[in-house]
Amino acid sequence: MLFTEDLPVLDEDAGYRGPTACKAAGITYRQLDYWARTGLVEPAVRGAAGSGSQRLYGFRDILVLKVVKRLLDTGVSLQQIRTAVEHLRERGVEDLAQITLMSDGASVYECTSADEVIDLVQGGQGVFGIAVGRVWREVEGSLAALPSEHAAEQSFPDDELSKRRVARRIG
């Protein structure tokens, strides 16, 4: 990628809690929770492990969340989005910045060169594009200003409900 020197360097081992992931991806917590429970986008750093645990999403997870949001905003069906997400999961991190996703409203296409874009458009279908590289940079910029934590740093809030649960387990 050109002009990478102005991009923030993010810790690849860092995880981001649900509210932070929502803010960076531009989605609601309800969407995030539903997508995690149905397997559309599951947190790679740490999944939910029962009551009181916090999911931790990695950078790549948040990138996929933002792409899913963009596809939904353009009217692509959830079934087609699931297919596109599976394809993205199979790609290497280096490839993600080079991908442009296209859709005619019924299907999602991957374009990696200008020739492919021309062929799709000449087919007569109206299409839109999502440059994943641009979304990548947006997510990097958003996450640079938001808090992260490592999976090993599991901490529970020191609230009354947590204290009662601990007391119940001990007693």
Side-chain angles (χ1 to χ4, degrees), residues 15-54:
Y16 302 90
R17 290 180 181 232
T20 302
C22 290
K23 193 170 194 174
I27 61 173
T28 66
Y29 192 82
R30 181 175 285 208
Q31 286 174 306
L32 179 75
D33 184 55
Y34 177 74
W35 295 347
R37 285 186 290 109
T38 60
L40 179 61
V41 182
E42 296 176 281
V45 177
R46 183 175 63 219
S51 179
S53 66
Q54 291 282 324

Side-chain angles (χ1 to χ4, degrees), residues 102-120:
M102 313 242 4
S103 177
D104 58 6
S107 186
V108 178
Y109 306 96
E110 173 192 358
C111 294
T112 55
S113 72
D115 292 338
E116 286 181 295
V117 173
I118 292 169
D119 288 342
L120 287 173

Side-chain angles (χ1 to χ4, degrees), residues 23-102:
K23 193 170 194 174
I27 61 173
T28 66
Y29 192 82
R30 181 175 285 208
Q31 286 174 306
L32 179 75
D33 184 55
Y34 177 74
W35 295 347
R37 285 186 290 109
T38 60
L40 179 61
V41 182
E42 296 176 281
V45 177
R46 183 175 63 219
S51 179
S53 66
Q54 291 282 324
R55 294 182 186 117
L56 285 183
Y57 291 83
F59 172 82
R60 186 179 170 131
D61 301 327
I62 296 171
L63 177 66
V64 174
L65 288 169
K66 192 159 182 117
V67 169
V68 168
K69 169 74 165 125
R70 294 241 174 123
L71 289 169
L72 279 173
D73 288 348
T74 57
V76 177
S77 75
L78 194 57
Q79 182 179 6
Q80 290 297 328
I81 291 172
R82 285 187 188 279
T83 301
V85 167
E86 284 302 317
H87 178 73
L88 288 175
R89 284 183 181 141
E90 295 169 2
R91 304 292 260 156
V93 174
E94 296 78 20
D95 294 334
L96 280 177
Q98 308 305 320
I99 295 173
T100 297
L101 297 176
M102 313 242 4

